[in-house]
Amino acid sequence: MPRTAETTAGTHQITDIGALEILDSRGRPTLQVNVTLATGATGAAGVPSGASTGSREAVERRDSDQGRYRGLGVLDAVGAVNGEIAQRLSGRGWHDLAEIDAALIDLDGTPGKARLGANAVVGVSMACARALSAAAGRELWEWLTPPEIAPRLPVPHFNVINGGVHAPNPLDFQEFMIAPLGARTLAEAVRAGAEIYSALRDLLASQGQVTALGDEGGFAPQLAEPEDVLSLVVTAITTAGYPAGRDGVAIALDPASSEFRLEDGRYQVAGQKLTSAEMIERYAEMIDRFPVWLIEDGLAEDDWAGWADLTRRLGERVQLVGDDIFVTNPEIIADAIGRGAANAALIKVNQIGTVTETLEAMATCRRGGYAQLVSHRSGETTDSFIADLAVGSGCGELKAGAPARGERVAKYNRLLEIAAARPDLPYGLITPPNMRR
Ligand code: PGA
Ligand code: ZN
């Protein structure tokens, strides 16, 4: 006898699941996944895609048919959702998302979700999360909140200057972000971000710089030295009328240094070749001179010894976030905690490939005393899942690009919507941050 919603009380029946090929913010193909439950509840998801990827990330499936989208089509991944995955998930009852995600992992059968495609799997996982939250009559962020966690509105980290593989300029560091740590509310933080972004545009224009944008909506000036950019950003903060520093608007860096590491293990910054130890001292000087509160991927993903040195040297002064080195993988994060590498992890759902494993990665961080910075990818859609994840996980930190461009502001606007609906939610970092002031 076929099982129906009625005969499997307490479980969720997926009646329809399908994907289609859509475009991301770089104009490359990605997936949209739509899920319908027997109750009529629905969920959809747009799948993000990175450019400066970690080598241990879950693996995106691309068609490699050079005749379509330069080999970047995702029709095979769409086919996996509409075929194998739909077959596996339909026609039975599921207790929760963890059970669905475990079935996806099992069906794929590879460590990196390469067979079905991590882009297919993560889209299904996110769409199922949305459908289950709708079935429960809850907002996604509420539904994602673990029982022991108090939800909060995160500090938005606005990426205002782009370099590295995200922009065609001579800047090796990938991201310069502004973080309104001292704002009293999320709305004030968003306003500060947007006003500083405008001040920065005027400043660049007044210096004869181009105000063209990089992939995450930040400006992409023809500057090479990171310190020159830091001065510029501090000027923009103060010109817009905000105090630069942890009580006002601080700066966060994502050099994404795996991208400028040389074969011989040194790092090439503005033409200079630096050892790990020299990179660490360069960061120390930046922290002395500028209000930098966070450095992500300061060293490369395979420079574990360097990471431990970096953490010993600067871990009490700034938040050190592992992105390429951890790839949102609970096992790698647990290993890092044991080795004393970093004091925080970047959290990207598509890096590990399911929502359940993402929540595990965040729980691993909490147990080890590591902070968490929820993150978008450089290739995005208007899906705002990560805004809900940041609020529901109570981690206090989100980076979603510039306060401009539709796919970036979709996340900040979702935060504003949640803040307006729930003025009781606290805003800001989980205090005290795990470091000296
Ligand atoms: P990516 O960049 O999405 O291109 O990987 C974001 C980051 O490095 O944080
Ligand atoms: Zn990064």
Side-chain angles (χ1 to χ4, degrees):
M1 191 178 81
R3 288 153 56 132
T4 66
E6 289 72 39
T7 59
T8 53
T11 67
H12 304 279
Q13 290 266 347
I14 296 172
T15 51
D16 195 40
I17 176 163
L20 63 146
E21 190 179 53
I22 62 168
L23 294 182
D24 74 12
S25 54
R26 276 191 280 253
R28 294 178 188 164
T30 188
L31 292 89
Q32 178 179 320
V33 178
N34 301 304
V35 168
T36 306
L37 305 182
T39 56
T42 61
V47 175
S49 173
S52 63
T53 50
S55 62
R56 295 210 266 176
E57 284 195 24
V59 183
E60 273 183 353
R61 186 169 174 190
R62 300 274 177 188
D63 299 338
S64 66
D65 168 359
Q66 294 302 326
R68 291 186 77 249
Y69 289 113
R70 301 177 169 209
L72 296 175
V74 293
L75 292 181
D76 290 346
V78 165
V81 177
N82 295 343
E84 258 190 273
I85 293 176
Q87 235 168 20
R88 177 73 180 86
L89 297 188
S90 311
R92 56 154 290 183
W94 300 95
H95 289 97
D96 52 25
L97 186 66
E99 200 183 11
I100 293 171
D101 285 345
L104 288 168
I105 292 165
D106 178 61
L107 181 66
D108 176 77
T110 68
K113 303 177 179 69
R115 195 182 69 80
L116 296 169
N119 43 353
V121 172
V122 81
V124 171
S125 181
M126 289 163 67
C128 285
R130 277 227 169 82
L132 296 194
S133 72
R138 313 275 295 281
E139 290 287 332
L140 179 60
W141 65 267
E142 280 181 297
W143 184 84
L144 285 168
T145 306
E148 72 281 10
I149 288 297
R152 63 192 301 119
L153 295 159
V155 175
H157 286 62
F158 300 104
N159 185 2
V160 294
I161 297 279
N162 293 185
V165 299
H166 292 168
N169 58 2
L171 188 60
D172 298 303
F173 280 25
Q174 181 178 281
E175 302 172 22
F176 293 77
M177 294 169 272
I178 47 173
L181 302 185
R184 280 176 305 146
T185 64
L186 186 270
E188 279 186 13
V190 170
R191 177 181 157 196
E195 290 179 357
I196 295 163
Y197 182 76
S198 289
L200 184 57
R201 183 198 287 112
D202 292 349
L203 198 61
L204 286 166
S206 74
Q207 296 181 359
Q209 279 285 351
V210 291
T211 51
L213 304 183
D215 286 355
E216 296 188 350
F219 301 109
Q222 296 295 312
L223 294 168
E225 298 288 350
E227 290 81 0
D228 291 345
V229 177
L230 284 165
S231 306
L232 198 69
V233 173
V234 170
T235 307
I237 293 170
T238 52
T239 306
Y242 293 92
R246 292 185 190 199
D247 297 330
V249 179
I251 297 177
L253 297 174
D254 179 7
S257 65
S258 299
E259 300 290 336
F260 54 82
R261 192 161 195 228
L262 303 169
E263 295 269 307
D264 67 6
R266 288 186 296 173
Y267 295 85
Q268 182 152 347
V269 179
Q272 255 188 301
K273 296 186 171 98
L274 305 171
T275 63
S276 295
E278 288 164 346
M279 269 313 281
I280 293 169
E281 289 319 305
R282 183 92 175 246
Y283 291 132
E285 283 164 28
M286 285 183 203
I287 295 165
D288 288 340
R289 284 180 58 199
F290 303 100
V292 172
W293 97 276
L294 176 154
I295 302 173
E296 175 188 332
D297 278 0
L299 295 175
E301 63 168 46
D302 50 0
D303 190 0
W304 280 84
W307 268 97
D309 291 342
L310 174 68
T311 310
R312 270 192 298 275
R313 176 83 167 88
L314 299 175
E316 291 190 346
R317 296 182 64 196
V318 290
Q319 189 170 295
L320 298 167
V321 184
D323 172 11
D324 289 353
I325 186 172
F326 297 162
V327 292
T328 317
N329 184 314
E331 285 171 24
I332 301 176
I333 293 170
D335 181 30
I337 292 168
R339 298 202 211 183
N343 57 23
L346 202 73
I347 301 294
K348 291 166 166 169
V349 185
N350 81 326
Q351 244 176 357
I352 185 70
T354 63
V355 174
T356 301
E357 290 165 289
T358 304
L359 298 175
E360 275 169 29
M362 299 185 88
T364 304
C365 287
R366 284 196 297 271
R367 282 193 299 272
Y370 275 34
Q372 305 121 63
L373 171 55
V374 172
S375 172
H376 66 154
R377 299 308 302 249
S378 51
E380 271 292 337
T381 71
T382 51
D383 188 306
S384 59
F385 192 98
I386 58 167
D388 285 74
L389 177 62
V391 174
S393 65
C395 71
E397 304 174 24
L398 172 73
K399 72 167 198 176
R405 297 180 35 144
E407 78 282 4
R408 311 296 150 185
V409 299
K411 282 67 166 171
Y412 300 126
N413 288 344
R414 174 62 180 153
L415 291 182
L416 289 167
E417 188 177 61
I418 296 170
R422 287 293 300 270
D424 57 309
L425 287 178
Y427 163 80
L429 296 181
I430 302 170
T431 49
N434 185 18
M435 67 196 73
R436 275 200 312 260
R437 285 209 161 220

